Amino acid sequence: RLMGICILELETYEADDIIGTMTRRFPIQSIVLTGDRDSLQLINDNTEVYLTKKGLTEIQVCTKDNIKELFGYTAQQVVEYKALAGDSSDNIPGVPGIGEKTAKDLLVRFGTVADIYRDLDQLDIKPGVHKKLAEGRESAQLSFDLATIRTDAPIDFALESAVWDHDYQPELYDWFRRLNFTSLSEKWGLQPADGVSAP
């Protein structure tokens, strides 16, 4: 806030939901910079996801044209995939016993999770896979809900308020001094709030 960077937050909504809402609310090109693969579901003609693999030193650019090649599923299948295979990093259980390879195969052959469960008894699948899917139906639905990013957060926001004009608050100098950000203070020409720096 002292740097003048716009921060959005809304009680009962996760950051992913606010990010998702912003990518859909405005007809502009958007880049989501994150380490969370859940955000891949937001990819479309106007939105790309830059996945941080090693901090900011290694970034994977994900677009509607390369996501299938990179991960084996489309942006529309991200939630479907996680509903089946889960994601331990996000505490999404998926269907117990259904791994990455089986989840992708099921989606390629039968479409969506809803399609799979609607026709479960008629699917040409191994008995073991059928048993896991049947027993994991509730977990699949829970995982689907957990993985889905909302894009309708009722947040009051004007795009113009996000423009960063480098208009720093004077108190930023003292914060940077406490954090030993000496070079940044000098680079940005920061000055003490009242002419007296913090101890």
Side-chain angles (χ1 to χ4, degrees):
R1 288 186 173 89
L2 292 177
M3 292 176 68
I5 295 175
C6 178
I7 297 174
L8 299 179
E9 54 190 357
L10 186 64
E11 190 173 351
T12 74
Y13 284 83
E14 295 187 8
D16 283 351
D17 298 327
I18 296 176
I19 292 170
T21 298
M22 293 300 103
T23 66
R24 298 299 186 259
R25 184 175 293 183
F26 306 102
I28 60 173
Q29 289 297 120
S30 302
I31 294 174
V32 178
L33 181 64
T34 179
D36 189 349
R37 289 191 182 185
D38 276 359
S39 294
L40 294 173
Q41 67 191 267
L42 299 174
I43 291 175
N44 61 15
D45 288 338
N46 291 331
T47 303
E48 297 180 350
V49 171
Y50 287 15
L51 283 178
T52 55
K53 301 184 71 176
K54 291 182 180 178
L56 293 176
T57 61
E58 186 177 339
I59 292 177
Q60 188 171 47
V61 178
C62 307
T63 70
K64 67 181 182 65
D65 296 321
N66 70 5
I67 180 175
K68 182 77 177 287
E69 179 184 346
L70 291 173
F71 302 102
Y73 45 76
T74 65
Q76 292 75 28
Q77 291 177 314
V78 170
V79 177
E80 310 283 348
Y81 169 77
K82 293 203 172 193
L84 295 173
D87 185 346
S88 58
S89 67
D90 270 338
N91 293 316
I92 298 174
V95 176
I98 299 295
E100 177 179 334
K101 184 177 179 181
T102 302
K104 290 179 181 178
D105 179 64
L106 288 167
L107 293 175
V108 167
R109 294 175 63 198
F110 308 114
T112 68
V113 171
D115 292 334
I116 291 169
Y117 277 106
R118 185 188 62 238
D119 302 323
L120 184 58
D121 292 335
Q122 285 76 46
L123 299 183
D124 179 21
I125 56 177
K126 295 178 180 179
V129 173
H130 180 282
K131 185 174 186 290
K132 291 170 183 175
L133 287 170
E135 293 177 350
R137 183 187 293 263
E138 289 186 10
S139 184
Q141 184 58 58
L142 171 64
S143 299
F144 188 95
D145 294 340
L146 289 173
T148 300
I149 293 177
R150 297 187 60 176
T151 58
D152 60 351
I155 189 165
D156 184 20
F157 173 73
L159 195 60
E160 296 76 18
S161 66
V163 176
W164 188 30
D165 57 9
H166 298 73
D167 185 19
Y168 308 120
Q169 296 295 315
E171 293 81 8
L172 183 62
Y173 174 88
D174 291 337
W175 272 107
F176 273 21
R177 182 179 175 88
R178 292 171 190 154
L179 297 171
N180 291 320
F181 290 172
T182 308
S183 60
L184 284 178
S185 293
E186 295 173 354
K187 179 179 179 180
W188 294 345
L190 301 182
Q191 300 295 324
D194 298 312
V196 180
S197 62

Coordinates of all heavy atoms in Angstrom, one line a residue, residues 19 25 34 37 47 55 58 79 115 128-129 141 157 182 192 197:
I19 N -8.9 -12.9 -8.5 CA -8.1 -12.9 -9.8 C -9.0 -13.3 -10.9 O -9.0 -12.7 -12.0 CB -6.9 -13.8 -9.6 CG1 -5.9 -13.2 -8.6 CG2 -6.2 -14.0 -11.0 CD1 -4.8 -14.1 -8.2
R25 N -13.9 -9.7 -16.0 CA -14.7 -8.4 -15.9 C -14.3 -7.4 -17.0 O -15.2 -6.7 -17.5 CB -14.6 -7.8 -14.5 CG -15.5 -6.6 -14.4 CD -15.4 -6.0 -13.0 NE -16.0 -6.9 -12.0 CZ -16.1 -6.6 -10.7 NH1 -15.7 -5.5 -10.2 NH2 -16.7 -7.5 -9.8
T34 N 1.6 -16.6 -11.2 CA 1.3 -17.5 -10.0 C 2.1 -18.8 -10.1 O 2.6 -19.2 -11.1 CB -0.2 -17.8 -10.0 OG1 -0.5 -18.6 -8.8 CG2 -0.7 -18.5 -11.2
R37 N -1.3 -24.0 -10.2 CA -1.9 -24.5 -11.5 C -3.4 -24.4 -11.6 O -3.9 -24.6 -12.7 CB -1.4 -26.0 -11.7 CG 0.0 -26.1 -12.0 CD 0.4 -27.5 -12.5 NE 1.8 -27.7 -12.8 CZ 2.3 -28.8 -13.3 NH1 1.5 -29.8 -13.6 NH2 3.6 -28.9 -13.5
T47 N -6.6 -14.2 -21.7 CA -5.8 -14.4 -20.4 C -4.7 -15.5 -20.6 O -5.0 -16.6 -21.1 CB -6.8 -14.9 -19.3 OG1 -7.8 -13.9 -19.1 CG2 -6.0 -15.1 -18.0
G55 N 10.9 -19.3 -8.4 CA 10.7 -17.9 -8.2 C 10.4 -17.2 -9.5 O 9.6 -17.6 -10.2
E58 N 12.6 -18.7 -13.4 CA 12.2 -19.6 -14.4 C 10.6 -19.6 -14.4 O 10.0 -19.9 -13.5 CB 12.6 -21.0 -14.0 CG 12.3 -22.0 -15.1 CD 12.8 -23.4 -14.8 OE1 13.8 -23.5 -14.0 OE2 12.3 -24.4 -15.4
V79 N -10.3 -28.2 -14.1 CA -11.1 -28.6 -12.9 C -11.5 -30.0 -13.0 O -11.5 -30.7 -12.0 CB -12.4 -27.6 -12.8 CG1 -13.2 -28.1 -11.7 CG2 -11.9 -26.2 -12.7
D115 N -20.1 -36.3 -17.3 CA -20.3 -37.4 -18.3 C -19.9 -38.7 -17.8 O -20.6 -39.7 -18.0 CB -19.6 -37.1 -19.6 CG -20.1 -35.8 -20.3 OD1 -21.3 -35.5 -20.2 OD2 -19.3 -35.2 -21.0
G128 N -11.4 -52.4 -11.8 CA -10.8 -51.7 -10.7 C -11.0 -50.2 -10.8 O -11.2 -49.5 -9.8
V129 N -10.9 -49.6 -12.0 CA -11.2 -48.2 -12.2 C -12.6 -47.8 -11.9 O -12.9 -46.8 -11.3 CB -10.8 -47.8 -13.6 CG1 -11.1 -46.3 -13.8 CG2 -9.3 -48.0 -13.8
Q141 N -16.9 -34.9 -6.5 CA -17.7 -33.6 -6.5 C -17.1 -32.6 -5.6 O -17.0 -31.4 -6.0 CB -19.1 -34.0 -6.1 CG -20.1 -32.8 -6.1 CD -20.2 -32.2 -7.5 OE1 -20.6 -32.9 -8.5 NE2 -19.8 -30.9 -7.6
F157 N -14.6 -2.2 -7.9 CA -13.2 -1.9 -8.5 C -13.3 -1.3 -9.8 O -14.1 -1.6 -10.7 CB -12.5 -3.3 -8.6 CG -11.2 -3.1 -9.3 CD1 -10.1 -2.5 -8.7 CD2 -11.0 -3.6 -10.6 CE1 -8.9 -2.4 -9.3 CE2 -9.8 -3.5 -11.3 CZ -8.7 -2.9 -10.6
T182 N 18.2 -0.9 1.2 CA 19.0 0.3 1.0 C 19.1 0.7 -0.5 O 18.8 1.8 -0.9 CB 20.4 0.2 1.6 OG1 20.3 -0.2 2.9 CG2 21.1 1.6 1.5
P192 N 12.9 10.4 3.8 CA 12.1 10.2 5.1 C 10.8 11.0 5.1 O 10.7 12.0 4.5 CB 13.1 10.8 6.1 CG 14.4 10.7 5.5 CD 14.2 10.9 4.0
S197 N 14.7 10.0 9.5 CA 14.5 8.6 9.2 C 14.3 7.8 10.5 O 14.7 8.2 11.6 CB 15.7 8.0 8.5 OG 16.9 8.2 9.3

